[in-house]
Amino acid sequence: MVRTYEKSWLRADLVAGVVLAAILVPQGMAYAELAGLPAVTGLYTTIACLVGYALFGPSRVLVLGPDSSISPLILAAIVPLLAGGDTGTAIALAGMLAVFVGLLEIGLGLGKLGFVADLLSKEVQVGYMNGLAITIIVSQLPKLFGFSTDADGFVEELRAFFQGLDQTDVTTLLIGAGVLAVLLVLPRITKKVPAILVAVVGATVLTATLGLAAEGVATVGELPQGVPKPEVPWTDISDVAPLMLAAMAITLVSLTDTIATATSFASRRGEEVEPDQEMVGMGAANVAAGLFQGFAVSTSGSRTAVAEESGAKSQFTGVVGAGMVLVLLLFLSSLLADLPQTALAAVVIAAAFTLTDLGALRRYRQVRKSALVISLVATAGVILFGVLQGIIVAVILAIFLFFRRHWWPHGAVLGEVEGLDGWHSTKVYPEARQVPGIVVYRWEAPLFFANAGQFRQQIRRLVRDGQPDWVVLQCEAVTDVDVTAAEMLEKLDLELNDQGVHLAFAEMRERLQDLTLEYGLFETLDRDHFYPTIETAIEATRKKQGTGPEATAP
């Protein structure tokens, strides 16, 4: 950043950094409490991760920090390991987790494994985030209403909230509801003024002026002055395995969000995303956070948008924002003493709303109901089993979805349609004409061990129903043929030959034709049964049939 920095950027970065700091403080504190940690750790995290990413991250405007999608995962990871431990133990566990996440991300980046960010399909991501938003909102409702519960798990938390409604502090609820209203309504009116700044400052001033803390409104209290010295967080060797599992889940969610956000902002600026370097930058930010009593972080789309709209030119904006937070901790630690806890709950709830995407569910319902079902299952997994277990459900769903599409891929009998070029599915165009004695069949997936049996059954059915002399396989979508599939093709060809039926291949990639040679399939499959187009295959097979040029409808 230093070598490529231009002096003309300085003023814009300073202004953007000051504006950014206005939202870094309340969000950092709110997401720290969402993670089950003291609010001040959110500020330590903010400072460390911004500087860490500025040194190693490739994006000029991406802003990292405590995040609403990561904090619940942190809470779920450290609570089972506390066993009555104190706050210091919780901070150490969170720090260890951040370091593990950072090391995983650096390792993935150095190993050029940026594709890991693509493991979660869009429908699974939407379902997971919707479920996460619901659990976050339910977990923050008691704080918004001015009381607390000891419940664990979505169902128990929801039951405890309704059972505790008689403990509601009306003043606290009014403040929280007011903050939430400002956060949700003001951005619809204007984006020039940060809604979170107006809401948090307003709530703090109101509480201080009216002395509401003495009336029972819980506040943050005076923050510890200064910043911690860097140290390697550690608790016990037995905590390493569960934290590593949680780190994998956090890494997957964080990278998926980061790459998507980075791509979005980069495209608007005419820049290219470097996924592997992004992972290194993210990793450095997480390690730095862990060393300074912080916790795992991710990219924030909202904070990045604020930085960009404020004129940010480089990562110096983040450094300026970190510097402003540092000044707060060193010299103005009592400034937020009257910040109501209910205001932080409102900040978290407002952030949870941004995680939801109900519009996507409506689209899935219209275009692909299977995607809707998968998304709803991912949501249910988070709600019923918890956020960490929910991400496991989401990953399993994503993997199942991938294999499902390749295990049972689409296939179609093709024919020619008057007025349209090319060959088209007879299911879509029932009037499509087929050549007598020839079935043209398109297989829409790689041929490999998991779907070889399905392919064989499909071809057998076509031969049984249509009694053709030839089956022409359109192979444009076939990107691979593994050993199991090759053996299946060999046996299938022999079986069909015994029935007087022959296989021909059209539009197969040259690489795969060479592969069939290496597999020794040309001892069974005829070398001259591979054709560059369907038309040449039809012409050749009809000559061997000795039939005329006419075609008939199916």
Side-chain angles (χ1 to χ4, degrees):
M1 182 183 75
V2 176
R3 292 193 302 270
T4 59
Y5 194 80
E6 298 180 16
K7 293 182 179 179
S8 60
W9 296 347
L10 183 58
R11 183 178 181 279
D13 281 341
L14 286 172
V15 173
V18 172
V19 174
L20 182 62
I23 64 173
L24 290 176
V25 173
Q27 283 191 342
M29 296 171 69
Y31 298 154
E33 295 203 340
L34 181 60
L37 300 166
V40 71
T41 61
L43 304 184
Y44 300 155
T45 301
T46 299
I47 296 171
C49 76
L50 288 175
V51 174
Y53 186 82
L55 293 175
F56 296 97
S59 173
R60 288 184 178 180
V61 297
L62 214 60
V63 178
L64 272 63
D67 188 71
S68 57
S69 65
I70 299 299
S71 290
L73 292 171
I74 298 169
L75 177 65
I78 65 176
V79 166
L81 304 178
L82 285 175
D86 57 12
T87 301
T89 304
I91 293 173
L93 287 168
M96 287 174 65
L97 182 57
V99 171
F100 290 160
V101 169
L103 294 178
L104 277 175
E105 291 173 339
I106 292 173
L108 291 172
L110 295 178
K112 307 296 183 183
L113 299 175
F115 64 86
V116 170
D118 299 325
L119 283 180
L120 289 182
S121 65
K122 183 60 178 178
E123 56 264 52
V124 172
Q125 290 180 47
V126 169
Y128 175 78
M129 288 301 179
N130 284 340
L132 190 61
I134 294 171
T135 58
I136 289 173
I137 291 171
V138 169
S139 72
Q140 295 300 302
L141 285 176
K143 187 188 293 187
L144 186 73
F145 279 65
F147 63 93
S148 61
T149 69
D150 295 325
D152 183 28
F154 176 82
V155 176
E156 291 300 321
E157 287 180 342
L158 192 60
R159 181 184 295 115
F161 167 68
F162 283 112
Q163 291 176 346
L165 281 176
D166 58 344
Q167 306 174 43
T168 299
D169 185 280
V170 177
T171 304
T172 297
L173 177 58
L174 289 175
I175 294 173
V179 170
L180 186 58
V182 172
L183 293 174
L184 297 178
V185 176
L186 186 57
R188 298 176 181 269
I189 301 173
T190 178
K191 293 186 177 180
K192 293 183 178 180
V193 180
I196 190 171
L197 178 62
V198 174
V200 169
V201 171
T204 304
V205 171
L206 181 66
T207 302
T209 303
L210 300 181
L212 297 181
E215 301 297 325
V217 175
T219 60
V220 171
E222 187 169 341
L223 300 175
Q225 191 172 29
V227 293
K229 295 180 180 179
E231 62 179 21
V232 177
W234 183 255
T235 54
D236 190 87
I237 189 66
S238 61
D239 295 329
V240 171
L243 288 179
M244 277 300 297
L245 290 175
M248 293 178 188
I250 291 173
T251 297
L252 183 59
V253 173
S254 177
L255 290 181
T256 301
D257 186 41
T258 296
I259 299 303
T261 304
T263 301
S264 174
F265 282 94
S267 63
R268 297 199 317 218
R269 298 167 63 89
E271 300 172 354
E272 291 292 331
V273 174
E274 305 173 41
D276 297 319
Q277 187 59 41
E278 283 292 355
M279 285 193 282
V280 172
M282 286 284 296
N286 274 293
V287 170
L291 296 178
F292 283 89
Q293 294 188 17
F295 49 90
V297 299
S298 183
T299 301
S300 169
S302 61
R303 276 165 278 182
T304 302
V306 167
E308 186 182 57
E309 291 170 4
S310 301
K313 301 296 183 182
S314 74
Q315 281 298 321
F316 189 60
T317 294
V319 174
V320 172
M324 296 292 292
V325 177
L326 179 62
V327 169
L328 173 69
L329 287 171
L330 291 176
F331 307 109
L332 304 170
S333 58
S334 61
L335 191 63
L336 297 175
D338 290 306
L339 172 60
Q341 290 283 355
T342 186
L344 295 182
V347 170
V348 172
I349 291 173
F353 282 126
T354 66
L355 297 178
T356 62
D357 191 350
L358 300 181
L361 297 182
R362 288 193 292 270
R363 292 194 301 272
Y364 296 157
R365 183 176 180 274
Q366 293 171 355
V367 301
R368 193 164 192 167
K369 288 184 172 58
S370 62
L372 174 64
V373 172
I374 289 169
S375 192
L376 293 177
V377 169
T379 299
V382 175
I383 292 174
L384 298 178
F385 304 119
V387 290
L388 273 179
Q389 294 83 350
I391 192 61
I392 295 174
V393 170
V395 171
I396 292 173
L397 269 176
I399 294 172
F400 173 77
L401 181 63
F402 172 79
F403 280 105
R404 167 65 179 82
R405 289 172 179 168
H406 288 80
W407 274 336
W408 298 285
H410 290 292
V413 175
L414 306 181
E416 292 183 292
V417 180
E418 186 175 355
L420 295 178
D421 294 332
W423 292 72
H424 305 273
S425 170
T426 57
K427 287 185 178 180
V428 179
Y429 297 96
E431 72 277 13
R433 295 173 300 173
Q434 296 177 254
V435 180
I438 301 174
V439 171
V440 180
Y441 183 69
R442 179 176 62 210
W443 180 254
E444 301 178 4
L447 264 174
F448 69 117
F449 68 93
N451 63 24
Q454 288 288 326
F455 177 86
R456 181 175 57 244
Q457 290 178 21
Q458 290 291 328
I459 300 301
R460 285 173 172 172
R461 182 181 60 78
L462 290 174
V463 170
R464 183 180 64 251
D465 295 344
Q467 298 293 313
D469 299 318
W470 287 85
V471 176
V472 177
L473 300 172
Q474 199 264 14
C475 302
E476 183 182 15
V478 179
T479 56
D480 192 23
V481 178
D482 74 357
V483 175
T484 302
E487 184 176 337
M488 177 275 299
L489 284 175
E490 181 179 20
K491 293 180 179 178
L492 179 63
D493 187 54
L494 291 172
E495 176 186 324
L496 295 179
N497 288 343
D498 289 341
Q499 302 174 43
V501 182
H502 304 281
L503 287 178
F505 300 84
E507 301 180 20
M508 177 177 277
R509 290 166 168 78
E510 291 184 4
R511 174 179 59 83
L512 296 186
Q513 292 186 43
D514 294 339
L515 193 59
T516 58
L517 174 62
E518 294 176 13
Y519 285 149
L521 292 183
F522 285 155
E523 296 178 7
T524 303
L525 302 175
D526 291 334
R527 289 173 179 267
D528 60 352
H529 287 180
F530 290 79
Y531 303 96
T533 65
I534 294 177
E535 289 76 13
T536 56
I538 295 295
E539 182 180 355
T541 52
R542 290 176 68 209
K543 285 180 180 179
K544 293 177 181 180
Q545 282 181 316
T547 59
E550 294 81 6
T552 61

